[in-house]
Amino acid sequence: MSRRIFLKKSSCLTLGILAYPAFSNALFFDAMDDVIIGHNSHKYKVNLNWGNLDPLKTPVKDCHEMVQDSKGRIVLLTNHTKNNVIIYDKSGKLLETWGTNYPGAHGLTLLKENGEDFLLITDYERHQIIKTTLDGKVIFELDYPADTGKYNSKEEFKPTETTVLENGDFYVADGYGNQYITHYNHKGQLLNIFGGRGTEDEHFLNAHGICFDNRDKENPCLLITAREMNILKRFSLDGKYLSSINVPGALICRPVIHKNDIYFAVLKSKEAPNDDSGFLLIMNKDNEVVSCPGATAPSYREQQLEDLYQTVRLFKHPHDVCIDDDENLYVAQWNSGQTYPIKLIRV
């Protein structure tokens, strides 16, 4: 039996204590207390109890993304219109909620201007990008880029993510729409558009996530996921294709850079027998995969990463990962039965 087939068939057997059907975060606390997941220098203890709230008072639907603000608070974006934004402290205590107007709330990016935190929210049902304060005051709403000629109507624009440069410029990834990347200045004025749907190097299938990579100060770039292609693509800031990083078997969501590493939630394993087959993926400063919490240990053969598969049925459609200042991870999940985020404590 080949390694690939073996891994697929064993994906639901490894650590059998967790190999259960989909479950709410309220289950298996005792069984999970001492479970460690991850590989090499990035290993984590699972905490399923973090952030659980009364769903009658503070419900969630799809928990799409999370960020940490300048005060150390953890900000969660959900598309439940009773409370689109939920703000926790790091212990999981509820601090505040707001937002009732974002049915397609998907992308959440923190930006700072003159020492103040703001949020960029993408809403694919409203076909808009919305800039708000941390308490929900709307600064501006940005509609689809009609003047580019790339869109026949607002319905073709379904933005999934933004990223912000140090000068306040920001980019929008239209991951559920026509797959273009639009570049704006801090006032929301269009500067450039590139990408579009296709399988060529400069195009995308599901341009789901984007982030500004300035780890190399002399050569900053954009990292953009082509999720359905299992590829992370690098572009210059003016929209020129640079290179690709293949992540076979992994439908990666947005890249999140913390220090010298890149973190991803992986929605699912591409060819796994179960749809809820997601895990996490961590790359080092050289863009090499070093840890896959919840999945097979990363392995390279002839400098090519081998296919990755879920090994622990802990995550169900993980959609984003937030890294706090203590190196702990918080995992937001889409279509997970309205569960709250999972915390992974760095060990």
Side-chain angles (χ1 to χ4, degrees), residues 66-134:
M66 305 176 76
V67 296
Q68 184 177 34
D69 70 10
S70 296
K71 296 180 181 179
R73 305 181 304 172
I74 305 300
V75 183
L76 168 68
L77 183 70
T78 169
N79 54 11
H80 200 298
T81 51
K82 184 175 181 178
N83 38 235
N84 286 122
V85 173
I86 299 173
I87 301 178
Y88 297 94
D89 69 13
K90 289 195 296 185
S91 73
K93 178 184 177 181
L94 176 65
L95 299 177
E96 62 179 287
T97 67
W98 56 264
T100 59
N101 298 313
Y102 306 111
H106 187 279
L108 183 69
T109 301
L110 184 78
L111 66 149
K112 300 180 182 181
E113 292 180 0
N114 301 317
E116 183 178 357
D117 285 355
F118 295 89
L119 298 173
L120 283 178
I121 296 171
T122 63
D123 189 310
Y124 56 79
E125 289 196 18
R126 288 177 47 169
H127 315 284
Q128 286 183 322
I129 301 95
I130 305 97
K131 180 180 179 181
T132 75
T133 61
L134 261 290

Side-chain angles (χ1 to χ4, degrees), residues 82-295:
K82 184 175 181 178
N83 38 235
N84 286 122
V85 173
I86 299 173
I87 301 178
Y88 297 94
D89 69 13
K90 289 195 296 185
S91 73
K93 178 184 177 181
L94 176 65
L95 299 177
E96 62 179 287
T97 67
W98 56 264
T100 59
N101 298 313
Y102 306 111
H106 187 279
L108 183 69
T109 301
L110 184 78
L111 66 149
K112 300 180 182 181
E113 292 180 0
N114 301 317
E116 183 178 357
D117 285 355
F118 295 89
L119 298 173
L120 283 178
I121 296 171
T122 63
D123 189 310
Y124 56 79
E125 289 196 18
R126 288 177 47 169
H127 315 284
Q128 286 183 322
I129 301 95
I130 305 97
K131 180 180 179 181
T132 75
T133 61
L134 261 290
D135 59 1
K137 178 183 177 182
V138 174
I139 305 301
F140 67 65
E141 297 174 349
L142 190 64
D143 294 319
Y144 81 106
D147 292 344
T148 64
K150 305 293 186 181
Y151 294 86
N152 295 315
S153 67
K154 70 176 184 179
E155 284 73 24
E156 293 182 349
F157 182 63
K158 299 179 180 180
T160 51
E161 195 61 73
T162 62
T163 193
V164 182
L165 303 187
E166 293 159 336
N167 67 356
D169 283 11
F170 62 95
Y171 296 78
V172 179
D174 182 21
Y176 291 161
N178 287 1
Q179 309 296 311
Y180 286 100
I181 310 299
T182 42
H183 178 192
Y184 300 87
N185 66 17
H186 72 283
K187 296 179 181 180
Q189 298 169 325
L190 183 67
L191 301 176
N192 190 21
I193 185 167
F194 61 95
R197 187 183 306 277
T199 57
E200 299 82 4
D201 286 341
E202 67 273 20
H203 295 152
F204 303 96
L205 292 180
N206 196 193
H208 189 270
I210 183 171
C211 80
F212 173 51
D213 182 0
N214 66 340
R215 292 175 297 169
D216 180 351
K217 303 299 182 183
E218 301 300 318
N219 298 287
C221 68
L222 299 170
L223 302 178
I224 307 172
T225 56
R227 192 168 69 178
E228 291 298 325
M229 303 167 74
N230 299 148
I231 295 175
L232 176 65
K233 297 190 176 188
R234 297 176 62 251
F235 282 77
S236 66
L237 300 186
D238 61 355
K240 301 296 190 300
Y241 170 80
L242 299 175
S243 63
S244 290
I245 303 163
N246 293 314
V247 280
L251 274 70
I252 50 175
C253 297
R254 74 158 163 180
V256 180
I257 293 179
H258 180 75
K259 296 183 178 179
N260 286 320
D261 297 327
I262 316 174
Y263 296 74
F264 303 84
V266 176
L267 189 72
K268 60 182 179 179
S269 305
K270 189 167 187 177
E271 298 181 13
N274 55 306
D275 185 62
D276 56 334
S277 55
F279 52 91
L280 306 184
L281 186 150
I282 302 167
M283 293 180 181
N284 64 15
K285 62 182 179 60
D286 298 315
N287 301 327
E288 298 168 335
V289 181
V290 295
S291 183
C292 293

